[in-house]
Amino acid sequence: MTYFIFLAPKETRFKLAGPQGSLFSQKMFNLLKWQHPEYSDVFFEQSVAWNKYGNFAKGFELLDRAVELNPAQHLGYRGWMKLGKLRAYDDALADFDRLDSLTPGVVDAPWGEDIDFLRGECYFGKKNYKKAIECFNRTIENNGEDWADVQTFVFLGLCEYELGNYEKAISEFNRALAQSEQICEAHFGLAKTYEKLGDIEKAKNHLELTQKHFVYKRQDHYNEYLNEIYLWEVEAHQKHLDTLPTTPVPVSEE
């Protein structure tokens, strides 16, 4: 066992380290960093546990070192973390742009997500909806209509909604539903959009579908999504719609 801990190839000991965050894991990573200070994967892997615990100061200290050692390999994850954990949109965009410059001719997928989808989320978070639309449309070009993340169309609908383009928003939400009728975020977007257009009956219908398919909502144990919906807001919107007449109200032509 002593041989493996101190003398086995670094890749073997890296795998031997076991579960992230365990005492043995941390000690093994510290030993590897001491013996192989240019081994970027160790800094990266050790950072994951700290960031999961919410100790971003320590986690990003390690992650930044991993990026210094091997930017092409770790920039995407750092940008993904800055977006998802810190909501540091400009810093995340800077990492994505730098990664692009290091990988010409390649459509990068940081942590398994299309880079333009992540850029779109950054601009959505910055409330730059026109720029977000550009990025989300690019991710559709990158992957094709049938293979793009279905949440791309939800985000496009939300952007058009925020810009007051309600008919376009409806079209985008329906593109999401064309892939699956269970996309509750799209139904919720349609409920709010139809309310804006004065069609309370359709708004209520889509709110009912939101509740029906709520079990399929976009969620993650570690991250809060920018377009995540919550049961309390759906129920609050239901109470609000219940106070409104169901007869469609003509939209003003002014």
Side-chain angles (χ1 to χ4, degrees), residues 136 139-141 143-153 179:
F136 288 126
T139 198
I140 296 171
E141 293 174 9
N143 297 281
E145 181 90 10
D146 295 333
W147 292 97
D149 189 318
V150 69
Q151 296 296 330
T152 304
F153 307 110
Q179 291 198 17

Side-chain angles (χ1 to χ4, degrees), residues 146-231:
D146 295 333
W147 292 97
D149 189 318
V150 69
Q151 296 296 330
T152 304
F153 307 110
V154 174
F155 271 115
L156 283 169
L158 293 172
C159 289
E160 298 291 359
Y161 175 88
E162 293 294 341
L163 292 171
N165 302 326
Y166 300 127
E167 295 293 346
K168 181 63 174 174
I170 289 172
S171 175
E172 298 294 1
F173 289 133
N174 281 328
R175 288 172 81 186
L177 294 176
Q179 291 198 17
S180 172
E181 283 290 328
Q182 298 174 338
I183 309 300
C184 58
E185 296 87 0
H187 284 298
F188 193 45
L190 284 168
K192 293 190 289 186
T193 306
Y194 277 119
E195 182 193 354
K196 288 289 188 182
L197 292 173
D199 194 333
I200 307 306
E201 185 173 353
K202 283 187 177 179
K204 287 185 175 181
N205 178 58
H206 281 287
L207 200 60
E208 289 178 7
L209 291 169
T210 303
Q211 294 169 316
K212 177 182 178 181
H213 299 302
F214 193 80
V215 66
Y216 302 110
K217 65 166 279 189
R218 189 186 189 208
Q219 61 183 338
D220 182 272
H221 292 302
Y222 296 107
N223 296 305
E224 178 185 34
Y225 291 112
L226 289 173
N227 68 330
E228 189 161 347
I229 62 175
Y230 299 94
L231 189 58

Side-chain angles (χ1 to χ4, degrees), residues 12-158:
T12 300
R13 287 182 290 157
F14 180 84
K15 295 179 180 178
L16 182 67
Q20 298 165 343
S22 68
L23 181 60
F24 178 77
S25 173
Q26 292 298 315
K27 286 184 177 295
M28 180 62 79
F29 289 148
N30 286 336
L31 176 62
L32 286 169
K33 287 191 302 181
W34 176 65
Q35 292 179 318
H36 304 279
E38 305 303 309
Y39 190 15
S40 69
D41 286 353
V42 174
F43 291 91
F44 164 77
E45 196 68 24
Q46 195 174 30
S47 77
V48 173
W50 289 104
N51 285 327
K52 281 185 176 179
Y53 296 151
N55 189 335
F56 299 123
K58 180 64 175 177
F60 272 86
E61 176 186 336
L62 293 161
L63 183 54
D64 288 346
R65 179 57 180 157
V67 170
E68 288 176 15
L69 294 169
N70 193 337
Q73 184 171 343
H74 302 298
L75 267 170
Y77 177 75
R78 190 175 71 176
W80 183 84
M81 287 290 294
K82 287 177 177 178
L83 166 61
K85 297 292 187 183
L86 305 184
R87 299 291 192 250
Y89 304 119
D90 289 330
D91 289 344
L93 285 166
D95 277 354
F96 296 144
D97 290 346
R98 184 182 169 200
L99 176 60
D100 251 355
S101 72
L102 296 173
T103 56
V106 175
V107 177
D108 295 291
W111 220 236
E113 296 190 69
D114 183 88
I115 193 168
D116 285 311
F117 179 84
L118 296 173
R119 284 191 176 113
E121 286 191 301
C122 287
Y123 284 112
F124 182 85
K126 287 164 60 67
K127 302 186 187 304
N128 187 339
Y129 301 115
K130 290 184 178 180
K131 190 69 175 177
I133 289 171
E134 291 179 18
C135 294
F136 288 126
N137 281 328
R138 278 207 307 272
T139 198
I140 296 171
E141 293 174 9
N142 295 341
N143 297 281
E145 181 90 10
D146 295 333
W147 292 97
D149 189 318
V150 69
Q151 296 296 330
T152 304
F153 307 110
V154 174
F155 271 115
L156 283 169
L158 293 172

